[in-house]
Amino acid sequence: MTNTLSRLLKSRDWLLADGATGTNLFNMGLSSGEPPEMWNVEHPDRIAKLYGFAVEAGSDLFLTNSFGGNAARLKLHNAQGRVRELNRIAAEIGRNVADKAGRPVAVCGSVGPTGEIFAPMGTLTHELAVEIFHEQAEGLKEGGADVLWVETISAPEEYKAAAEAARLAGMDWCGTMSFDTAGRTMMGVTSAQMSALVEKLPNPPLAFGANCGVGAADLMRTLMGFVATGTERPLIAKGNAGIPKYHDGHIHYDGTPELMGDYACLARDAGATIIGGCCGTMPVHLKAMHEALSTRPRGPRPSLEEITAKLGAFSSASDGTGDDDGAGRERRGRRRG
Ligand SMILES: [Zn+2]
């Protein structure tokens, strides 16, 4: 265990992760439809600036600009031959920023979903998914990423494939799923099911949890679901800065810095160790989160009522855990009505 993230996890009881990648890059001029990973070579200064936002706000780790940097996603832009290069450079820029921070900051190599659907509904196989993730992992490793950071996953098969790719690359990893469909992932996974899945992996992650999804309140409820399973693994909470609203032709997140400060402390008090933002989380939010975590004393584990009082209502009546078909079965491809 020599990577920076493992050392930080041993010495600290909370760590601040970073905020949004997409939202911040759009604010720097990225157009929708343009693959953000191309900016690693076209605008390395802007990517260094993005990473710098997190470091300046007090983050202990940040994710690299490589979320869509796998062959399946880059193929949509005819850049499937550049996986290794784009990921290596994403991590190299990060390494450079982290090494100048003057304190330990972990460079976490972002690995997002392939965008493909597993057989039999789709064409993706375990072997192919492992190969896709492994190629990306090798690029991130080559560029100096401390760990791999698998995020926004909805299919358990894809999570397992990413775990195996991390093993093949010889890297420690973290992995989060996105619970955006009435408390479950798009593929029907509940927080309890994810917890069980993680413990069954031959190479479990250093930390696991949830990112993105609907809003900070929903993410808190998912986090409470992980805690309820009794897991002793560090938990990750990376919630969006409020709820996306369409406004004047672009998406705006309604979460204020104050709300994200409250969310950060609630997440810590509920049992999360790694706390950050996702979509809509700007430097101003991150600074408020750092300030809140650094100055407010730890409190008791919040109730669901306290969460909605501070962060707003949940998007659905339940988080899907414990109702109807129980926690043991996975409901693949079924959205809850
Ligand atoms: Zn997000």
Side-chain angles (χ1 to χ4, degrees), residues 136-248:
Q136 182 176 16
E138 290 293 344
L140 292 164
K141 181 182 177 179
E142 197 173 22
D146 289 292
V147 297
L148 295 177
W149 191 285
V150 180
E151 54 172 344
T152 326
I153 301 294
S154 58
E157 297 89 343
E158 197 154 32
Y159 197 83
K160 287 180 206 163
E164 189 168 332
R167 185 183 62 76
L168 290 173
M171 291 182 80
D172 285 320
W173 67 290
C174 293
T176 58
M177 287 184 157
S178 177
F179 297 80
D180 58 1
T181 310
R184 295 177 181 244
T185 73
M186 214 163 54
M187 290 308 192
V189 180
T190 65
S191 51
Q193 288 166 348
M194 185 188 185
S195 231
L197 164 71
V198 162
E199 295 312 324
K200 275 184 275 178
L201 292 171
N203 63 325
L206 295 174
F208 76 96
N211 78 293
C212 212
V214 179
D218 270 32
L219 194 122
M220 281 295 308
R221 188 171 61 178
T222 299
L223 171 64
M224 307 276 274
F226 297 135
V227 172
T229 66
T231 180
E232 292 184 4
R233 221 167 274 288
L235 292 168
I236 301 165
K238 276 190 115 237
N240 291 343
I243 311 268
K245 305 241 158 83
Y246 211 69
H247 181 76
D248 275 349

Side-chain angles (χ1 to χ4, degrees), residues 275-295:
I275 300 151
C278 200
C279 301
T281 310
M282 313 297 293
V284 65
H285 296 100
L286 270 186
K287 282 179 191 148
M289 292 163 72
H290 185 259
E291 167 81 14
L293 288 167
S294 307
T295 56

